[in-house]
Structures are given as structure tokens and as C-alpha cells.
Amino acid sequence: MLQNSIDSQTLGYLGRALSLELSAVQLYSTQARLVDVWGLAEMSKLLSEEAKEEMQHAERIISRMLAVGYAPNASQLRPVKLGQNVVELLQYDYEFETELVGLYTEAVNHCIARGDNDNRMFFEGLLGEEIQHQKTLEEMIRNHKK
């Protein structure tokens, strides 16, 4: 596999992003099963859909890494955080999404500083989707606190 000219820091952002996105798949899948046990079928469906969306993010990152000539290597999955109720689960999810937003913001800024427009646009796409996830979670937390 030929390696394109991508700086090591951008490659590091891709690797961390892959690890976090795969961790998100594990998190949302586990939470979906838990709330299903609690008898919350609709919430289970929502969390399962979120897991699928995060898997699509992971697949996009894998494709990007292959496109720039590197084999994907997720370093470590995060432990799953479970709560005693739906609000606690959603708050953990919001914290996780906030971390993803922070990572993608750093990656975008790094790419801007390097003049790397292709990777900037790639990270901006993921950033926009994660910001939307945050907003959705904020709304869900508000609705479940009522």
C-alpha cells in the first residue's frame, strides 16, 4: 500500500476518531440492549439507530485511512458507561459526543493550519454530524427530565 503525504498528526486524529467512533458503537449498542431490558422499546430503537450511525462514521474513517494509504488501527475501546435511568444514560452519551466534537474541532483546526483542505472537509463533515447528535441528546435529556 502506497502511503500518501499525510502528516502524522492528521493520521493520529484519524486513529483517535476511529477508536472513539467504535467505542460509540459499543456504547450505544449496549445501552440499547439495557433499555430494552427495562421495557423501553422506543428508546432501544433510537439507541440502536445511533449505534448504526456511529458505525457508518467508523466505516468512513476506515475508508479515509485506506484512501490516504494507511491501514486502520483502532487502539482501544472506551469502557461502556451505564446508568440507573434513561437521563443518566443520555448524559453519558452527551459527554461522549462532546469529546467527539472536541476531537473533530481540533482536527479541523489542525488541517486549516496545514492547508490540508481534503482532510479538513472530511473532519468538518463528521463534526457537523456530531454537533447534531449533541443537540438531539440535549433535547432528549430535557424531555426525559420532565
Side-chain angles (χ1 to χ4, degrees):
M1 180 177 340
L2 289 176
Q3 296 181 346
N4 296 328
S5 60
I6 183 171
D7 72 290
S8 62
Q9 205 167 350
T10 302
L11 187 58
Y13 283 119
L14 288 168
R16 282 186 284 165
L18 181 57
S19 293
L20 286 176
E21 293 290 357
L22 289 172
S23 293
V25 171
Q26 176 180 257
L27 173 68
Y28 289 124
S29 295
T30 303
Q31 290 179 345
R33 300 298 72 77
L34 177 62
V35 298
D36 192 49
V37 168
W38 291 347
L40 304 172
E42 187 175 323
M43 178 61 68
S44 177
K45 182 179 176 186
L46 289 171
L47 290 167
S48 291
E49 289 301 316
E50 190 64 31
K52 289 175 187 174
E53 191 168 331
E54 299 296 357
M55 188 64 208
Q56 290 171 349
H57 290 176
E59 290 169 352
R60 285 167 44 196
I61 294 164
I62 290 168
S63 293
R64 184 70 185 165
M65 292 178 91
L66 291 172
V68 298
Y70 287 88
N73 184 18
S75 59
Q76 184 175 355
L77 295 181
R78 294 284 177 86
V80 171
K81 287 188 174 182
L82 299 176
Q84 300 298 313
N85 56 57
V86 171
V87 172
E88 282 183 18
L89 293 179
L90 295 173
Q91 288 171 331
Y92 290 141
D93 298 346
Y94 182 83
E95 291 169 11
F96 197 91
E97 294 294 339
T98 299
E99 187 173 351
L100 280 166
V101 166
L103 176 69
Y104 292 139
T105 299
E106 284 180 31
V108 166
N109 290 334
H110 172 75
C111 292
I112 289 170
R114 290 197 42 87
D116 182 351
N117 289 324
D118 288 340
N119 285 306
R120 174 190 56 82
M121 289 174 20
F122 176 77
F123 286 120
E124 282 177 341
L126 291 168
L127 175 60
E129 291 173 31
E130 297 300 353
I131 288 171
Q132 186 56 51
H133 291 170
Q134 272 187 315
K135 290 177 182 177
T136 300
L137 285 165
E138 285 175 339
E139 183 179 327
M140 290 172 72
I141 290 167
R142 275 194 308 274
N143 291 339
H144 280 87
K145 283 186 173 180
K146 292 180 181 179

